[in-house]
């Protein structure tokens, strides 16, 4: 059940890590180039534009070639009890494509900036893109958690160093500490999940039936972490400050892809693994969703 068509598998299998490794190398190259005293001011933008178009091209080709199903095609690179398993389904490939398509608009916002600021932000954009894509292509919850948290570091630097407000450092700290504190609940939930099942492989856990009482306390752990990162009222306090004080590229990164990680976590982790708990807490979640919808609408009208 967990396979693409043969044609799609042959194309996609060698490319699982491309969307993580390639932008990571580009980020390292841009960071190194920015430290060169005699470096050309135009080369970083040119390299970033070429790299972003390569990412867009490969993601679009893979999206068109993949079987349009919810099946997951996996490849285990390091078989252990918590294996480095990577794979995609159509939903995760859509999000990878979105992430790759947003790189170029973010690059264009940096044209005309000072060379030091431009090069540093270009490197941070590709680093964040690599970590976001790693979260979308992994089939292991531990790797997802690491990528989920690591993406906060480039975002923190972008807001704290290159934001356009005197309060940018405070906003960056609020973003980092608030979301990190929320994600500690996810770590607690993953430890509980592993203690009950002995694995963190997504494709295995989708077929594991947990006791409803266990599902409920795991739902609380994962739910708190994901509601902070989504965010849902009343866990949204960090978001307006981060958006207001971030540079344009950072705000695009935050709204375009980083916030999608939490929704993807609900889709990939909570719904398939904790179905009984989802039914139990559905009224509470629906109530919070309606409150968030009304609150955000009123805030939009006020602004």
């Amino acid at each position: 059940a967990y396979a693409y068509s043969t044609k799609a598998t042959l194309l996609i299998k060698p490319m699982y890590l491309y969307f993580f490794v390639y932008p990571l190398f580009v980020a390292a190259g841009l960071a190194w180039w920015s430290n060169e005293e005699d470096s050309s001011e135009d080369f970083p933008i040119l390299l970033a534009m070429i790299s972003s178009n390569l990412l867009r091209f490969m993601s679009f080709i893979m999206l068109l070639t993949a079987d349009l199903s919810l099946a997951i095609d996996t490849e285990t690179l390091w078989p252990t009890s918590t294996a480095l398993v990577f794979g995609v389904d159509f939903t995760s490939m859509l999000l990878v494509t979105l992430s790759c398509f947003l790189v170029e608009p973010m690059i264009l916002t940096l044209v005309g900036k000072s060379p030091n600021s431009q090069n540093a932000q270009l490197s941070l954009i590709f680093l964040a893109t690599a970590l976001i894509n790693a979260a979308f292509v992994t089939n292991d919850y531990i790797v997802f958690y690491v990528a989920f948290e690591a993406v906060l570091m480039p975002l923190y630097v972008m807001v704290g160093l290159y934001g356009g407000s005197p309060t940018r450092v405070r906003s960056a700290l609020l973003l980092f500490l608030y979301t990190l504190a929320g994600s500690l609940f996810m770590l607690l939930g993953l430890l509980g999940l592993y203690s009950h099942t002995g694995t963190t492989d997504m494709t295995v856990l989708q077929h594991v039936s947990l006791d409803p009482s266990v599902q409920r306390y795991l739902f609380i752990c994962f739910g708190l972490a994901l509601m902070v990162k989504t965010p849902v009222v009343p866990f949204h306090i960090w978001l307006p400050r981060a958006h207001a004080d971030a540079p344009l590229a950072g705000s695009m990164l935050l709204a375009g892809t980083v916030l999608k990680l939490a929704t993807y976590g609900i889709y990939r982790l909570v719904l398939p693994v904790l179905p009984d708990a989802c039914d139990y807490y559905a009224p509470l979640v629906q109530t919070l969703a309606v409150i968030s919808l009304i609150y955000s609408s009123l805030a939009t009208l006020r602004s």
Side-chain angles (χ1 to χ4, degrees):
Y2 290 89
Y4 281 118
S5 65
T6 304
K7 181 180 178 182
T9 303
L10 289 175
L11 176 62
I12 293 175
K13 266 190 176 295
M15 303 303 297
Y16 281 143
L17 296 180
Y18 170 82
F19 298 104
F20 166 63
V21 175
Y22 179 67
L24 202 60
F25 274 105
V26 174
L30 289 167
W32 172 81
W33 187 268
S34 65
N35 292 326
E36 294 294 308
E37 294 182 359
D38 300 327
S39 59
S40 169
E41 295 183 5
D42 297 329
F43 178 77
I45 283 286
L46 181 62
L47 174 61
M49 291 295 288
I50 293 173
S51 301
S52 69
N53 279 286
L54 284 173
L55 283 170
R56 289 204 304 172
F57 175 76
M58 289 304 302
S59 65
F60 190 62
I61 290 297
M62 290 176 67
L63 182 65
L64 292 179
T65 310
D67 183 10
L68 305 186
S69 67
L70 294 179
I72 301 175
D73 180 37
T74 63
E75 185 176 56
T76 303
L77 301 183
W78 185 12
T80 61
S81 57
T82 15
L84 288 179
V85 184
F86 295 89
V88 294
D89 64 5
F90 186 63
T91 303
S92 56
M93 197 62 234
L94 271 176
L95 291 169
V96 169
T97 305
L98 171 66
S99 172
C100 294
F101 267 70
L102 282 176
V103 173
E104 187 170 350
M106 288 188 283
I107 294 171
L108 293 175
T109 66
L110 301 177
V111 175
K113 301 285 186 181
S114 64
N116 290 337
S117 173
Q118 181 189 85
N119 296 347
Q121 290 190 66
L122 286 173
S123 181
L124 291 170
I125 287 170
F126 277 95
L127 176 59
T129 301
L131 295 170
I132 290 166
N133 288 345
F136 289 147
V137 302
T138 184
N139 281 337
D140 189 273
Y141 289 126
I142 294 296
V143 180
F144 173 81
Y145 174 78
V146 171
F148 188 80
E149 290 307 300
V151 76
L152 290 176
M153 294 186 290
L155 200 59
Y156 168 80
V157 175
M158 288 188 76
V159 176
L161 289 183
Y162 303 106
S165 168
T167 60
R168 61 182 183 274
V169 175
R170 181 181 178 184
S171 299
L173 284 172
L174 187 65
L175 179 155
F176 185 81
L177 295 176
Y178 205 94
T179 56
L180 180 63
S183 294
L184 292 177
F185 289 99
M186 179 179 284
L187 179 59
L188 181 64
L190 287 174
L191 293 174
L193 185 64
Y194 184 80
S195 68
H196 283 89
T197 62
T199 183
T200 53
D201 189 316
M202 296 181 184
T203 56
V204 174
L205 287 171
Q206 288 179 0
H207 301 281
V208 172
S209 179
L210 292 169
D211 184 84
S213 61
V214 174
Q215 290 189 36
R216 289 174 189 175
Y217 84 73
L218 290 177
F219 184 96
I220 292 174
C221 294
F222 293 129
L224 285 173
L226 295 171
M227 282 191 291
V228 169
K229 204 68 163 275
T230 301
V232 174
V233 175
F235 305 102
H236 68 291
I237 298 174
W238 62 272
L239 182 62
R241 289 182 177 272
H243 267 305
D245 293 341
L248 181 55
S251 187
M252 292 171 67
L253 179 68
L254 179 60
T257 51
V258 173
L259 299 184
K260 306 296 184 292
L261 285 173
T263 310
Y264 180 75
I266 296 170
Y267 162 76
R268 184 63 79 202
L269 172 58
V270 177
L271 292 177
V273 180
L274 310 173
D276 295 329
C278 289
D279 290 338
Y280 182 80
Y281 289 109
L284 174 62
V285 173
Q286 291 165 358
T287 302
L288 289 175
V290 171
I291 292 173
S292 299
L293 179 63
I294 295 172
Y295 178 88
S296 59
S297 300
L298 293 175
T300 303
L301 290 173
R302 185 176 181 274
S303 63

